[in-house]
Amino acid sequence: MTLTWRLAHRIASIAAVQAHEELSIDTARAPIDVAAAIGRAGVELMYQPLPALFGAYLADSCVAGILVNSRMSRAVRRQTAAHELGHHRLGHGTVYDAGASDDTSASLPGAAGAPAVERTAEAFAAWFLMPRRAVRTVLSALGYAPPLSAAQVYQIALRLGTSYATTARHLVSLRLATAEQCRGWVAVPPGRIKRQLAGEMLDGTAGVDVWDLTPAPGTIVASPGDVLVVAGDRPEVDGAVALQRLANGLWAVPVPTAEPRFSLTGPGGASTVEIAYPPLGRYRPVTDGDGDGDGTP
Ligand SMILES: [Zn+2]
């Protein structure tokens, strides 16, 4: 039996709503804490370097388990965790999700021709991580309204903790964009958006994100090595972070690799930057106080 994407999305969106309710997920908050949800589902979550796998769902043992490749970018780790939670919630058997490569920001393919269970799990991940309320929260925090630009979609994806292309497609599912707008967005490589914001700070664009903190002071969850930019007067930064003026007039701060968090106060107000270090080993819910869903403190 072939399952159309349309039907996969209908099944997955209902399953995601049920999962949010049963696992006590606050859908108005972004990013959605997927690791906590997996813990509350009674499933063991483990992060490990996996050479050719995005992750796996292990249904065979007495306690179900989810493995996530720790080498992938934060967005891909989160999407993989949500995809595997989808296999669990939808009653699928053990699945090894292959196809991971050295490109740590390339997501699970889930493309045309994928088996029905994979389509549904992939659609579940999108609806689980990007419920309408969380997307509305992010849009209102950023002060964005449709029609959105590619650069805005990129900033939305960062705050949802999802990949650029997946977010672009899901905005169509949420009827916040047309399919034609989405085609325009996915034609823009995220690397170009990153270079426009902070080109001179970047050796390469893979595995690094550039957060524009001009429109949205608040708490963000960034990864070490990311770059934060802010327009306007010189911002105040607290902590051992370096501040740099870019040729485009923006102020840039590289996210340090040895701090748990720091704050930055720009013309729009104060932002708290929580730093999510790549997780490794078994997820322990007590230590995850940052709400990024990675299992890191
Ligand atoms: Zn899968």
Side-chain angles (χ1 to χ4, degrees):
M1 183 193 105
T2 55
L3 180 70
T4 62
W5 270 112
R6 192 186 163 84
L7 185 55
H9 271 274
R10 192 176 299 170
I11 293 167
S13 62
I14 294 166
V17 168
Q18 286 170 344
H20 289 145
E21 283 175 10
E22 286 171 26
L23 303 174
S24 312
I25 293 297
D26 180 359
T27 55
R29 196 179 154 200
I32 295 289
D33 195 342
V34 60
I38 290 170
R40 284 177 206 147
V43 177
E44 291 272 0
L45 171 60
M46 180 80 84
Y47 295 95
Q48 260 176 241
L50 303 166
L53 290 178
F54 284 101
Y57 171 59
L58 310 168
D60 302 338
S61 54
C62 64
V63 176
I66 286 175
L67 274 174
V68 172
N69 188 344
S70 58
R71 295 168 57 239
M72 308 310 282
S73 72
R74 175 169 169 267
V76 177
R77 290 194 307 266
R78 287 173 47 77
Q79 283 178 200
T80 302
H83 174 107
E84 307 304 345
L85 177 62
H87 282 312
H88 175 71
R89 292 286 307 183
L90 295 156
H92 301 161
T94 290
V95 186
Y96 292 88
D97 287 304
S101 68
D102 286 341
D103 181 355
T104 56
S105 48
S107 317
L108 269 162
V117 289
E118 292 309 322
R119 287 182 177 214
T120 325
E122 198 53 16
F124 176 91
W127 286 101
F128 187 80
L129 295 176
M130 295 179 277
R132 189 176 299 276
R133 289 181 72 201
V135 175
R136 291 262 176 228
T137 298
V138 170
L139 284 175
S140 108
L142 288 167
Y144 294 167
L148 301 164
S149 68
Q152 289 175 324
V153 172
Y154 173 70
Q155 294 300 323
I156 293 166
L158 291 184
R159 281 144 181 96
L160 289 167
T162 48
S163 78
Y164 173 71
T166 309
T167 308
R169 286 194 296 269
H170 195 64
L171 289 170
V172 180
S173 301
L174 291 173
R175 298 198 176 89
L176 291 167
T178 64
E180 193 186 345
Q181 283 173 314
C182 178
R183 280 191 291 274
W185 293 334
V186 295
V188 180
R192 190 188 299 167
I193 299 168
K194 298 175 197 180
R195 286 200 185 285
Q196 275 167 359
L197 288 169
E200 68 226 70
M201 302 279 292
L202 308 173
D203 295 328
T205 55
V208 174
D209 282 309
V210 182
W211 300 71
D212 184 358
L213 298 190
T214 310
T219 300
I220 65 158
V221 188
S223 299
D226 283 358
V227 175
L228 317 175
V229 296
V230 62
D233 294 338
R234 183 187 178 92
E236 278 175 42
V237 282
D238 136 54
V241 292
L243 184 65
Q244 199 174 315
R245 187 82 191 248
L246 303 179
N248 60 13
L250 296 173
W251 294 95
V253 176
V255 175
T257 52
E259 313 229 346
R261 68 185 58 79
F262 66 97
S263 65
L264 179 149
T265 307
S271 295
T272 300
V273 182
E274 302 278 357
I275 306 172
Y277 292 91
L280 194 62
R282 192 174 153 197
Y283 164 72
R284 293 183 307 278
V286 255
T287 62
D288 190 11
D290 58 10
D292 72 313
D294 251 355
T296 54

